[in-house]
Amino acid sequence: MRNVITYVIAFLFILTLNFLLPRMLPGDPLMAIYGNEALIAMTPELKAHLVERFALDQPLWQQFGAYLLALVQGDLGHSYYYNSPVSSIVLGRLPWTLLLVGTALIISTLSGIVLGIESGWRRGSRRDKSLLTSLMAVSGFPDFFLGILLLIGFSVTWKIFPLSGAITPYSGLSGAALVLDVLHHLFLPATALTLSYIGASYLLTRNTMVTVLKNPYILMAKAKGLPDRVVRYQHAGRNALLPVITQTGIQLGRMVTGALFVEIVFAYPGLGYLTYEALLARDYPVLQGVLLIVAVSVLIANFLVDLSYSKLDPRIRYAH
Amino acid sequence: MPQLKTRMPFRKTLFIILPLALVCCLLVIFYGGRGQPSESTSYTIADSMGDWGYPSPYTHYSRGPGYVRMSLIFETLVWKDDSDFVPALAKDWEYIEAENAYIFELHDDVTWHDGTNFTAEDVAFTFEYTKQHPYQWVDSSLVESAEATDEYTVKLYLSQPYAPFFQDVVGTQPIIPKHIWQYVTEPEKFTDAQAVIGTGPYTLADYSQEHGTYLYNAYSDYYLGKPAVDELKFVKISEAMIPSALEQGLVNAGDVPPEIVSELEEAGLTIITAPHAWNAKLMINHQKEPLSSKQFRQALAYAIDREELVQITQRGHALAGSPGMMPPTSDWYYPDTPQYEYDPARAKQLLEGLNYTLENDYFTKDGEELELELIAAAEFEEVGQFVKDQLEAAGIKIDFSTLEAKTVDAKVEAWDFDLSIYGHGGLYEPSVLHKVIVEKSFNSARYDSNQTLSQLLEAQLSEMDAEERKELVWQIQEIYAEDLPALTLYYPHWYWAHDGSVSLYYTMDGMASGIPIPLNRLAFVK
Amino acid sequence: MHINPKQEIRHSKFAMFGIGMLLFLLIIAIFGPLLTPYQPNSQTPFAFESPSFNHWLGTNHVGQDILSQLIYGARTSLLVGFLTALLATILSAIIGTSTALAGGLYDKIVMRIVDAFIVIPAIIVIILVAAYLKPNLLVLILLLALLGWQGGARTIRAQALSLKEMGHISAARSFGASNLYIIFRHILPDLVPILLMGFIYGVRRAVFMEAGLAFLGIADPTTVSWGMMMHEALDFCYLNVWRWWLIPPGVALSLTILSVTGIGHTLEGALDPRLRREANA
């Protein structure tokens, strides 16, 4: 399989970069690996222990070995800022990012598909043109700017939505009220993310629809006298779906990084906000850990999409 | 259409898997985030960082807010209110000069949160324990030994006379329960429920790292009586949103930027102002030509208009720096400190006295143009730009660049710079002068070429008489301002806003060893 | 495959809007220093002034003129956008055509690397590198270009491969024309529309990423840029100043991206629809 090798190379590149960056900087690599906070926490014994663990007194290739060994054991490093293992910090934040990205992904894809079908069905109509223009306009806005506009409008000025965070802390809510609270906090960030990504699935569906509509079976269906809506969704729409869903998989990577910016605007406690806090605190272990996890998840997602796509559509294999 | 058939399962699974994953996420979140119902008095404090570590002595982050969260649970021997030292675990104390020791009489009705009685043993144990496991904020070598002379009396022997002993040691060191900590060998990793058993007015009900929230309940058996506020919450709200949250009544208190203060006051909130205890300063490489010359450094001071700097870079929300470092609002301030009022002509004169000549726009010496390098972290970008503009107007060419904070620290530490901008706090207590003038760390001027100054700095640390000490501190400011190994640029104004339901106040000389945060636990008790 | 992109663009309002807008921005960027009465970096004691005749968009937190900053921000955005895209397009043209013509092991190895880079989320790599290096504008441009040529290289290679088999090129080859001659005389001219599209999308990507990095606060703080302005303004969004400090750079950025998208979209529609998926990735 060609694909596997591609992904292995990509994976190794990310690992190497993660490994080399702190070690190439001038100054004490230990400080670069552990950040400012280690200055305070570092005792001579701890320092000796860390030098040994990272093999910092050994040649570079042995250090790389030690680095890989730690990673294989699920050790992403230790944050002296949070005073806990990076992996547990990341795990605590992960569900929120998944919730945000998942919601935005599903909504933007579904609505993109529906709008795309409507638009592509009558290409060139007034409805098509106005949809195309408005969606292109919206997707021209950077995700963080959309987020800022929503935040200033709905939270600061009109006070309809919460100012930041993912839940009202210690509100004593439970059950349905708690779900509503979470959705209340989720609404604006998810909307910002949805708006900036709806354009991609919309355009793709619309363009696919145009090709699909030329197929003889559409004419056939129309000739049979089936209602417009049935032809539009059951015949044409269905066949336009596969590329869109695959595209959604590929979009995942951009979506996750988009979430990064949106989370910062709304102080939403996911991986993006964690990255931002780590940048502010110069907490390099967390920064590296989060980015490694995100990069690898995106790689895995892309890989799975590639895999299923080429299984499902044999033409892809020849296209390479 | 055979194609359609093969596509179906993939599409279907996707449509099933994605919502399922969502539901799982929601479940995880709800399970982790269940709160308690509340019907009693509750007080909510906003914080832009949120997480400051598990509020136990060895696990809170080593910044002020981390200590504050711990200090609600753990107490010290003595404490401070807005004007003086007050009894805490110790109800009375006495200094025995002959032995250089303190005797503390302890309260006899104090219990730990698990019901165990608090005794002198716990205090003696704490100071022994810190010999092996130093507490991050206290120099454990200052206490030679601690001895429990009876159940409620403890005697601390000092290793040397140390003037700020109350401020830096007994007013800062949290006392930990012996019956729990004697079995703890790795306190930095001790984060279970036992690690937050103290004697303080509050017990920890919840701590969430990812949301940056803390929930405290009042300790009903507290020896000063059950606290007035039943429930304390710390919630995370981004800095720019705290004013809105206060106005909307979502929180009771929080720190606010100066620009919004008048608007909040109009909205009926109470504003309190922090004493000036933080300063930004121009670090000068006095080891290197031409900055090693005192006259040259004085020329720099004349060439920078600190009043204007405050107006522009801080929008007037700061106090212009005093060359003696102690702020003019401090009790320790020397009123006759040389001020170097803005005077570019005087700066020119001084430079000409050092054989510089003004050619075109810049000074030169022996045909070489005078150019200095100014480095600063991004947070001082505006200040750096201002200093550059002013020095260039005075004929000193400046090459200004912003670098990553750590790189600036490293370059300053290695003396690989000309000028730099850096800030630090702690200006409540003159002991900080010793730390940032002679001690060897990157945030210190490391200026030891003036013998008199060095001796004075040592002497004020061990001078136990307050008036004598003040005299020494005044002399230090005079010499420091004369020599100018570094130049204080400004002291920012810091504000907190609250709704008045609890009378918050700034603690005298800052909480513990100088934390400028108005969250003294005593405010919530009475 | 000869198409006429000029005609396509002339017929699309969207593209015409894009070109007009981009020209407008270019003029502003080039003549910026002449248009602004203030230096974007010069501090004054008049902070947070509302828009007035002297300051059309008011002043920011250190009394700098916001309009001047906006205009200089256009310079930064366009400089990063165009230079990055230019570098990336040149790289992709060189690598795309050379792998197509040379083939063999060279082609295999290079395309393997290209594949790997396409699946790596570039912004994450850039954040990581920028967090450590705090790059200045030049380094940032190089960094963005280095991570931005791979998609284009693959498209160009595919196109060059199909061109290679065409009659006039085989004919030139049979007359003994060298590889270089074939590249410059026959292949490159036919690749122009694709290169142009790659360039346009490269501009969009670079403008977007520069703004994102500045918004995160990990770009060079002495360079005025729209992302940086938004980053600073966001800290003061509790004041009314966001109306003339935060919104203008956001709108300017959005309009820039929009106009580039308009041009790209039209070009893309004019080209082979099969290329669509490649260009989006």
Side-chain angles (χ1 to χ4, degrees), chain A residues 97-279:
Chain A
T97 298
L98 290 179
L99 179 68
L100 177 59
V101 171
T103 312
L105 195 68
I106 289 174
I107 296 177
S108 71
T109 310
L110 288 185
S111 42
I113 288 172
V114 171
L115 293 176
I117 288 176
E118 289 295 330
S119 214
W121 180 247
R122 295 237 185 281
R123 196 184 188 192
S125 69
R126 180 174 291 181
R127 179 196 271 174
D128 172 46
K129 275 185 178 158
S130 56
L131 263 177
L132 184 66
T133 325
S134 51
L135 282 179
M136 290 291 269
V138 166
S139 53
F141 281 55
D143 34 34
F144 55 90
F145 186 55
L146 277 174
I148 289 170
L149 288 179
L150 292 173
L151 180 73
I152 289 181
F154 290 96
S155 301
V156 178
T157 313
W158 296 315
K159 304 179 173 62
I160 303 173
F161 287 98
L163 295 164
S164 59
I167 51 167
T168 311
Y170 312 122
S171 55
L173 299 173
S174 58
L178 185 60
V179 176
L180 277 180
D181 186 50
V182 169
L183 291 179
H184 195 207
H185 283 82
L186 181 66
F187 188 83
L188 288 185
T191 306
L193 211 52
T194 304
L195 284 179
S196 61
Y197 290 102
I198 197 170
S201 54
Y202 161 78
L203 264 187
L204 193 62
T205 315
R206 178 178 172 273
N207 293 345
T208 320
M209 271 298 273
V210 174
T211 351
V212 168
L213 284 180
K214 286 183 189 139
N215 279 329
Y217 63 82
I218 300 289
L219 272 179
M220 177 76 169
K222 279 187 185 170
K224 271 197 289 188
L226 289 171
D228 246 16
R229 177 199 286 268
V230 175
V231 182
R232 201 185 310 165
Y233 283 92
Q234 298 214 336
H235 292 81
R238 259 190 187 185
N239 281 294
L241 264 180
L242 178 72
V244 178
I245 286 179
T246 321
Q247 167 85 5
T248 307
I250 294 165
Q251 280 272 313
L252 193 71
R254 282 179 51 195
M255 203 72 158
V256 169
T257 46
L260 206 130
F261 288 95
V262 170
E263 281 178 11
I264 292 166
V265 172
F266 291 96
Y268 202 80
L271 293 181
Y273 197 57
L274 182 66
T275 310
Y276 186 61
E277 288 172 310
L279 276 173

Side-chain angles (χ1 to χ4, degrees), chain B residues 246-517:
Chain B
L246 279 159
E247 281 181 309
Q248 295 182 25
L250 300 175
V251 296
N252 300 85
D255 59 334
V256 291
E259 284 77 18
I260 196 88
V261 159
S262 56
E263 189 186 317
L264 290 176
E265 250 169 342
E266 274 166 36
L269 290 154
T270 312
I271 303 289
I272 46 176
T273 314
H276 300 104
W278 191 93
N279 75 150
K281 54 191 189 188
L282 184 67
M283 303 290 279
I284 304 171
N285 188 346
H286 50 78
Q287 303 280 47
K288 181 177 170 185
E289 283 285 336
L291 295 159
S292 49
S293 148
K294 185 162 88 182
Q295 284 75 20
F296 194 97
R297 299 197 294 266
Q298 288 174 344
L300 292 181
Y302 281 118
I304 300 171
D305 187 348
R306 279 161 283 139
E307 289 291 344
E308 180 83 357
L309 184 145
V310 164
Q311 285 312 315
I312 290 184
T313 68
Q314 311 300 306
R315 295 169 293 287
H317 302 293
L319 204 61
S322 161
M325 202 189 321
M326 294 309 273
T329 46
S330 160
D331 287 344
W332 297 97
Y333 176 68
Y334 173 54
D336 295 328
T337 309
Q339 281 304 322
Y340 305 97
E341 304 287 345
Y342 178 56
D343 189 351
R346 183 96 180 79
K348 188 166 174 249
Q349 230 174 33
L350 278 169
L351 288 174
E352 279 166 355
L354 292 167
N355 298 325
Y356 285 96
T357 46
L358 196 56
E359 275 175 36
N360 300 325
D361 287 334
Y362 297 114
F363 278 104
T364 53
K365 187 180 194 176
D366 309 327
E368 229 178 287
E369 196 172 60
L370 172 60
E371 182 173 3
L372 297 176
E373 181 198 19
L374 171 64
I375 54 171
E379 58 182 309
F380 296 112
E381 203 259 320
E382 287 99 4
V383 179
Q385 191 64 41
F386 179 88
V387 169
K388 171 190 160 88
D389 289 350
Q390 290 237 307
L391 290 179
E392 294 207 327
I396 303 169
K397 195 161 190 212
I398 298 292
D399 169 24
F400 173 48
S401 53
T402 55
L403 300 168
E404 205 265 288
K406 195 166 61 71
T407 316
V408 176
D409 294 350
K411 287 185 85 129
V412 171
E413 185 163 31
W415 296 106
D416 177 19
F417 75 113
D418 293 334
L419 300 170
S420 171
I421 296 164
Y422 178 80
H424 68 79
L427 299 183
Y428 290 113
E429 210 335 292
S431 59
V432 73
L433 296 174
H434 187 267
K435 282 199 194 92
V436 299
I437 297 176
V438 284
E439 281 181 24
K440 302 268 176 260
S441 74
F442 66 91
N443 57 12
S444 162
R446 289 166 290 169
Y447 182 70
D448 48 13
S449 45
N450 188 326
Q451 286 298 315
T452 329
L453 182 63
S454 305
Q455 277 161 13
L456 283 167
L457 285 165
E458 288 297 330
Q460 60 89 18
L461 272 188
S462 49
E463 178 54 63
M464 304 294 269
D465 181 281
E467 275 311 307
E468 296 276 323
R469 188 165 180 231
K470 193 164 187 169
E471 182 59 39
L472 295 175
V473 173
W474 280 18
Q475 287 181 40
I476 289 169
Q477 290 175 69
E478 181 161 28
I479 299 175
Y480 179 78
E482 166 79 18
D483 282 12
L484 281 179
L487 174 66
T488 294
L489 295 171
Y490 63 92
Y491 316 94
H493 299 327
W494 285 341
Y495 300 96
W496 268 65
H498 65 93
D499 62 2
S501 59
V502 169
S503 302
L504 298 183
Y505 57 81
Y506 280 98
T507 305
M508 178 194 78
D509 290 349
M511 276 172 67
S513 55
I515 302 165
I517 297 174

Side-chain angles (χ1 to χ4, degrees), chain A residues 25 31-32 35-37 39-40 81-84 89 92-93 95-96 98-99 102-103 105-106 110 151 155-156 159 163-164 166-167 169-173 178-179 182 217 238-239 241-242 245 267 269 273 277 282 284 308 312-313 315, chain B residues 1 3-4 6-8 10-11 14-15 18-19 22 25-26 28-30 33-37 48-49 51-52 58-59 61-63 188 206-211 213-215 233-238 241 244-245 248 250 404 406 442:
Chain A
L25 282 187
M31 223 51 94
N36 284 351
E37 221 55 35
L39 256 175
I40 299 149
Y81 183 80
Y82 290 104
N83 195 20
S84 64
I89 301 168
R93 301 294 188 98
W96 295 105
L98 290 179
L99 179 68
T103 312
L105 195 68
I106 289 174
L110 288 185
L151 180 73
S155 301
V156 178
K159 304 179 173 62
L163 295 164
S164 59
I167 51 167
Y170 312 122
S171 55
L173 299 173
L178 185 60
V179 176
V182 169
Y217 63 82
R238 259 190 187 185
N239 281 294
L241 264 180
L242 178 72
I245 286 179
Y273 197 57
E277 288 172 310
R282 298 278 141 206
Y284 291 120
S308 44
L312 286 172
D313 193 343
R315 283 171 302 177
Chain B
M1 289 154 281
Q3 266 186 347
L4 203 68
T6 51
R7 285 169 189 182
M8 285 289 277
F10 174 58
R11 207 175 75 209
L14 250 183
F15 273 111
L18 281 178
L22 267 186
C25 278
L26 278 169
V28 168
I29 288 159
F30 295 154
R34 260 183 293 177
Q36 284 80 11
S48 58
M49 287 297 291
D51 179 29
W52 292 98
Y58 289 91
T59 48
Y61 304 160
S62 54
R63 303 276 161 83
E188 291 83 7
D206 186 60
Y207 158 64
S208 160
Q209 189 178 59
E210 75 246 37
H211 294 286
T213 56
Y214 295 78
L215 177 66
K233 297 173 190 170
F234 287 88
V235 299
K236 173 154 128 185
I237 293 181
S238 51
M241 291 299 139
S244 297
Q248 295 182 25
L250 300 175
E404 205 265 288
K406 195 166 61 71
F442 66 91

